[in-house]
């Protein structure tokens, strides 16, 4: 205690002791742990040093504030130095992440300003006013604004430079299904029937892209994602969420717009769509179908993953960003879909409309899972409903065209009429759309009543069929009725039978060789085959009865011995005339199916050749002499040869074949 007392010297000594201790601690600039040890030592010397802890702590607090201000000014200097280069070409062409820039240094400076602003808003440092005055707040805000402007530009630059281009050809698979493109006839079937006919392969086109369920694409290069995260984090912490959203969504919107261009989807108004001629419109509809699949199944799902990866736990922000990014692309697709749904309805558009309906219907679950914008989803559902109504209305237009087709121009060869060719090719494709059509169609009580009464149908058969099957059965019945009416355009009853036989055989073959057979069933096929046989029998009766009547014994004397030569001559002359007339006319007729043509020739041969051979065999001896060839012009073998020329569709010249009698 003596030592301590000697240091004191009264009240003035206390002050001197404290001042000396302060100077020692300050001059040493010791670490905090060392200062605490020194405090403990000094406090044991004398109770007059017990207040030194306040002294030391006060000094430490002041030093920390000064250091923070030093760091603030250093960070400010980095940001201002970068901003000063904003008008120079080197700054405009150099990314923050490219040399000679140091992104770590810049982000550290931004973090320092953000930290300082956060601390200042909680408890402003006491030295801030004394050292720099109130202007330091303005300086901090200015630095933040400059930094955020730089980061906005940088985000835009990184997004644009690292967007992966869409390769629509190699990425999105091959075409799996085809549908039929009919020539445009503005929804009307005219008297010339030029829009009908067998559709060749050149008139088929692609139905739509088939995408794998596991298809995954990066929309932005993965190495740029971390850079974008750093930018987004600082913009959000600085309160620049809105600017961040605007930059991100605008760049990604433009990228999606470019994808639509690559996919062949143009930005067209409803009026412009309605003015496009069918061939070009068909191509645009096909592109739209593929685009919906690619946009929803690939691009938007990729966009969703990108947003989730960049914005992390910022749920509200990433939801808004995705909605804003996707909205323009989706609405452009929906606008075209709406335009198609209200376009003039004509049968050739049905398959493309169904393609569009299916594509949007299948995309809706994914679209609803990704997009939370109620307006967009509402519009999508509205367009889907509109396309469904357009499909129903277009099919009804097709039915009306067939029902009301009353052309009066017969097919001169008796060949298959263009109407069933058109209808069967149409229906063959339509059954491939059974799923959407079944969901859209229904049979009315009026249709059911008409089928039962007008067409003699069985209502129970209809009730057991799908909605599309019901409509197809009704349409086939109306088509058969239409063909019967057209057969009456021929004056020759034999040709009526050939026409009906050709056309019904064509219907059966088309049904049997396609999925229409599953729709209409085996009973339908068996019944029509029976009708075909009836038409063949009707043809034989109408065409060959007169010729065969010439080969009967009645009226020529009863036996070969006492047969009247005059009557025989007349019979042979009549038969020759009948045969030659049939040959002249019916070689111009056409039975296009090889099998049916052969079967018909065999039927003729079985009826005619035995009767002719028997007649010639019985009465040849009565006409022996140098003039016999004038009446017996043909041998049975000659007739067989000539029958092969029938139904080829081009008139043949019948040459008189003379053979020596055996």
């Amino acid at each position: 205690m003596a030592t301590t007392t000697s240091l004191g010297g009264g009240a003035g000594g206390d002050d001197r002791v404290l001042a000396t201790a302060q100077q020692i601690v300050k001059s040493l600039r010791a670490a905090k742990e060392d200062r605490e040890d020194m405090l403990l030592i000094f406090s044991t010397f004398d109770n007059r040093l017990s207040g030194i802890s306040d002294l030391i702590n006060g000094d430490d607090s002041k030093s920390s504030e000064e250091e923070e201000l030093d760091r603030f000014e250093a960070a400010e200097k980095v940001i201002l130095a970068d901003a000063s280069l904003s008008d120079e070409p080197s700054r405009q062409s150099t990314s923050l992440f490219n040399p000679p820039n140091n992104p770590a240094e810049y982000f550290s400076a931004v973090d320092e300003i953000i930290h300082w602003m956060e601390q200042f808003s909680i408890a402003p440092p006491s030295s801030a006013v004394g050292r720099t005055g109130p202007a330091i707040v303005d300086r901090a805000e200015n630095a933040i604004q400059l930094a955020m402007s730089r980061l906005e530009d940088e985000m835009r630059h990184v997004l644009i430079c690292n967007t992966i281009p869409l390769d629509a050809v190699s990425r999105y698979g091959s075409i799996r299904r085809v549908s039929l493109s009919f020539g445009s006839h503005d929804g009307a079937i005219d008297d010339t029937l030029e829009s009908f006919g067998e559709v060749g392969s050149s008139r088929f086109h692609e139905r739509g892209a088939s995408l794998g369920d596991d298809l995954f694409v990066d929309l932005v290069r993965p190495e740029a994602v971390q850079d974008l995260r750093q930018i987004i984090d600082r913009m959000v912490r600085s309160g620049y969420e809105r600017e961040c959203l605007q930059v991100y969504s605008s760049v990604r919107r433009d990228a999606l717009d470019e994808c639509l261009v690559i996919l062949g989807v143009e930005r067209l108004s409803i009026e412009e769509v309605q003015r496009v001629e069918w061939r070009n419109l068909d191509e645009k509809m096909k592109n739209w179908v593929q685009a919906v699949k690619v946009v929803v199944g690939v691009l938007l799902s990729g966009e969703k993953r990108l947003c989730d990866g960049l914005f992390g736990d910022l749920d509200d922000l990433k939801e808004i960003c995705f909605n804003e990014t996707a909205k323009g692309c989706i609405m452009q697709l929906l606008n075209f879909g709406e335009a198609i749904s209200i376009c003039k309805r004509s049968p050739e558009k049905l398959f493309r409309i169904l393609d569009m309906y299916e594509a949007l219907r299948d995309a809706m679950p994914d679209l609803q899972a990704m997009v939370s914008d109620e307006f967009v989803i509402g519009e999508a559902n509205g367009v889907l409903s509109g396309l469904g109504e357009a499909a129903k209305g277009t099919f009804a237009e097709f039915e009306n065209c067939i029902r009301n087709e009353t052309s009066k121009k017969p097919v001169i060869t008796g060949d298959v009429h263009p109407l069933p060719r058109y209808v069967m090719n149409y229906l063959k494709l339509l059954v491939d759309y059974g799923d959407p059509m079944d969901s859209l169609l229904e049979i009315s009580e009026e249709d059911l009543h008409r089928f039962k009464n007008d067409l003699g149908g069985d209502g129970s058969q209809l009730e057991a069929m799908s909605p599309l099957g019901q409509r197809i059965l009704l349409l086939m019945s109306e088509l058969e009725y239409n063909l019967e009416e057209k057969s009456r355009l021929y004056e020759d009853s034999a040709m009526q039978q050939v026409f009906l036989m050709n056309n019904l055989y064509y219907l059966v073959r088309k049904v049997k060789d396609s999925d229409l057979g599953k729709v209409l069933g085996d009973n339908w096929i068996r019944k029509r085959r029976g009708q075909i046989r009836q038409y063949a029998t009707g043809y034989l009766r109408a065409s060959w009865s007169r010729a065969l009547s010439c080969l009967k014994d009645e009226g020529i004397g009863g036996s070969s011995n006492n047969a009247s030569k005059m009557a025989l001559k007349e019979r042979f002359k009549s038969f020759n005339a009948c045969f030659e007339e049939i040959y002249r006319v019916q070689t111009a007729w056409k039975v296009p199916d090889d099998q049916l043509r052969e079967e018909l020739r065999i039927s003729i041969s079985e009826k005619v050749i035995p009767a002719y051979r028997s007649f010639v065999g019985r009465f040849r001896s009565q006409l022996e002499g140098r003039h016999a060839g004038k009446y017996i012009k043909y041998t049975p073998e000659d007739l067989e040869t000539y029958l092969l020329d029938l139904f080829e569709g081009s008139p043949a010249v019948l040459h008189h074949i003379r053979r020596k009698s055996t």
Side-chain angles (χ1 to χ4, degrees), residues 410-418 420-421 483 490 495 498-503 506 588-593 649:
V411 180
I412 59 174
T413 61
D415 196 355
V416 178
H417 194 276
R421 293 183 187 277
L483 290 172
Y490 299 101
M495 195 173 195
V498 170
F499 173 79
L500 289 171
M501 180 182 62
N502 277 335
N503 282 270
Y506 177 83
W589 294 2
K590 187 172 184 180
V591 177
D593 185 85

Side-chain angles (χ1 to χ4, degrees), residues 62-185:
K62 180 179 179 181
S63 174
S64 175
E65 290 178 3
E66 290 178 346
E67 289 175 356
E68 287 184 3
L69 288 171
D70 289 341
R71 290 197 300 271
F72 169 83
E73 290 178 342
E76 181 186 38
K77 183 178 179 181
V78 170
I79 293 172
L80 293 176
D82 180 81
S84 68
L85 301 174
S86 61
D87 295 329
E88 297 184 10
S90 59
R91 158 66 189 276
Q92 295 174 355
S93 60
T94 303
S95 169
L96 188 62
F97 297 97
N98 296 334
N101 294 316
N102 184 345
E105 179 186 41
Y106 192 84
F107 284 131
S108 178
V110 175
D111 290 340
E112 186 63 42
I113 300 296
I114 294 173
H115 174 73
W116 195 92
M117 292 289 288
E118 290 173 346
Q119 291 298 108
F120 190 90
S121 64
I122 297 172
S126 60
S127 60
V129 175
R131 180 172 177 179
T132 60
I136 192 170
V137 177
D138 295 335
R139 289 168 56 192
E141 290 178 349
N142 181 60
I144 285 292
Q145 290 176 359
L146 292 173
M148 293 304 106
S149 176
R150 169 62 151 151
L151 292 185
E152 283 183 42
D153 293 341
E154 194 61 33
M155 174 184 276
R156 185 177 291 106
H157 176 79
V158 172
L159 282 171
I160 292 173
C161 293
N162 290 278
T163 293
I164 298 176
L166 173 66
D167 182 352
V169 175
S170 64
R171 279 194 189 276
Y172 303 116
S174 60
I175 305 306
R176 302 301 186 197
R177 303 164 80 184
V178 297
S179 61
L180 189 60
S181 174
F182 291 89
S184 175
H185 47 67

Side-chain angles (χ1 to χ4, degrees), residues 26-267:
K26 187 172 183 179
S27 63
L28 288 176
R29 287 293 185 189
K32 182 177 181 182
E33 294 80 8
D34 295 336
R35 294 200 300 270
E36 290 175 349
D37 291 340
M38 292 168 62
L39 170 62
L40 180 61
I41 293 171
F42 282 133
S43 64
T44 60
F45 289 160
D46 192 280
N47 59 4
R48 287 170 298 176
L49 297 176
S50 60
I52 198 171
S53 61
D54 294 335
L55 173 68
I56 293 175
N57 290 335
D59 177 79
D60 182 52
S61 176
K62 180 179 179 181
S63 174
S64 175
E65 290 178 3
E66 290 178 346
E67 289 175 356
E68 287 184 3
L69 288 171
D70 289 341
R71 290 197 300 271
F72 169 83
E73 290 178 342
E76 181 186 38
K77 183 178 179 181
V78 170
I79 293 172
L80 293 176
D82 180 81
S84 68
L85 301 174
S86 61
D87 295 329
E88 297 184 10
S90 59
R91 158 66 189 276
Q92 295 174 355
S93 60
T94 303
S95 169
L96 188 62
F97 297 97
N98 296 334
N101 294 316
N102 184 345
E105 179 186 41
Y106 192 84
F107 284 131
S108 178
V110 175
D111 290 340
E112 186 63 42
I113 300 296
I114 294 173
H115 174 73
W116 195 92
M117 292 289 288
E118 290 173 346
Q119 291 298 108
F120 190 90
S121 64
I122 297 172
S126 60
S127 60
V129 175
R131 180 172 177 179
T132 60
I136 192 170
V137 177
D138 295 335
R139 289 168 56 192
E141 290 178 349
N142 181 60
I144 285 292
Q145 290 176 359
L146 292 173
M148 293 304 106
S149 176
R150 169 62 151 151
L151 292 185
E152 283 183 42
D153 293 341
E154 194 61 33
M155 174 184 276
R156 185 177 291 106
H157 176 79
V158 172
L159 282 171
I160 292 173
C161 293
N162 290 278
T163 293
I164 298 176
L166 173 66
D167 182 352
V169 175
S170 64
R171 279 194 189 276
Y172 303 116
S174 60
I175 305 306
R176 302 301 186 197
R177 303 164 80 184
V178 297
S179 61
L180 189 60
S181 174
F182 291 89
S184 175
H185 47 67
D186 297 324
I189 299 177
D190 56 33
D191 288 339
T192 63
L193 297 171
E194 292 177 353
S195 60
F196 290 144
E198 198 76 53
V199 180
S201 59
S202 63
R203 299 180 69 188
F204 283 83
H205 61 204
E206 299 163 349
R207 175 169 177 179
S210 175
L211 302 177
D213 294 335
D214 57 347
L215 187 59
F216 178 92
V217 296
D218 288 316
L219 304 181
V220 171
R221 292 185 178 86
E223 57 269 24
V225 171
Q226 184 57 38
D227 296 339
L228 290 168
R229 283 195 190 117
Q230 294 192 70
I231 295 172
I232 291 170
D233 174 66
R234 276 130 185 119
M235 293 187 73
V236 172
R237 285 167 52 202
S238 301
Y240 278 70
E241 295 95 337
R242 181 178 179 181
E243 289 76 6
C244 177
L245 183 152
Q246 288 176 338
V247 172
Y248 179 87
S249 59
S250 66
V251 173
R252 293 307 306 159
R253 274 199 306 267
D254 291 344
L256 289 177
D257 287 344
E258 291 180 8
C259 289
L260 288 182
V261 172
I262 293 172
L263 292 169
V265 178
E266 303 175 57
R267 192 180 297 277

Side-chain angles (χ1 to χ4, degrees), residues 341 357 360 379-392 440:
S341 70
Y357 176 82
L360 186 56
E379 289 293 299
N381 281 316
V383 171
L384 180 63
S385 177
L387 288 171
E389 289 299 317
K392 288 194 294 184
L440 294 171

Side-chain angles (χ1 to χ4, degrees), residues 435-482:
D435 180 36
M437 289 299 288
D438 283 339
S439 67
L440 294 171
L441 295 177
E442 59 183 17
I443 188 166
S444 66
E445 289 296 327
E446 179 184 355
D447 287 334
L448 185 60
H449 179 76
R450 179 161 45 85
F451 183 75
K452 288 180 178 179
N453 296 285
D454 297 345
L455 303 177
D458 180 6
S460 62
Q461 182 185 4
L462 274 181
E463 293 169 1
M465 302 177 75
S466 68
L468 177 59
Q470 293 171 342
R471 298 291 278 269
I472 288 177
L473 182 59
L474 286 170
L475 193 58
M476 291 294 290
S477 297
E478 291 177 346
L479 177 59
E480 291 178 68
Y481 178 78
N482 194 315

Side-chain angles (χ1 to χ4, degrees), residues 355-414:
D355 286 341
M356 293 176 67
Y357 176 82
E358 272 192 301
L360 186 56
R361 181 201 62 185
D362 294 345
M364 281 303 298
D366 289 337
L367 196 62
Q368 290 173 315
M370 290 186 290
V371 178
S372 59
D373 190 317
E374 293 182 359
F375 173 78
V376 173
I377 297 301
E379 289 293 299
N381 281 316
V383 171
L384 180 63
S385 177
L387 288 171
E389 289 299 317
K392 288 194 294 184
T394 303
F395 182 64
E397 182 66 24
F398 169 71
E399 291 177 309
N400 289 333
C401 287
I402 305 310
R403 189 176 297 125
N404 300 325
E405 200 288 301
T406 56
S407 61
K408 301 299 182 182
K409 184 178 180 181
V411 180
I412 59 174
T413 61

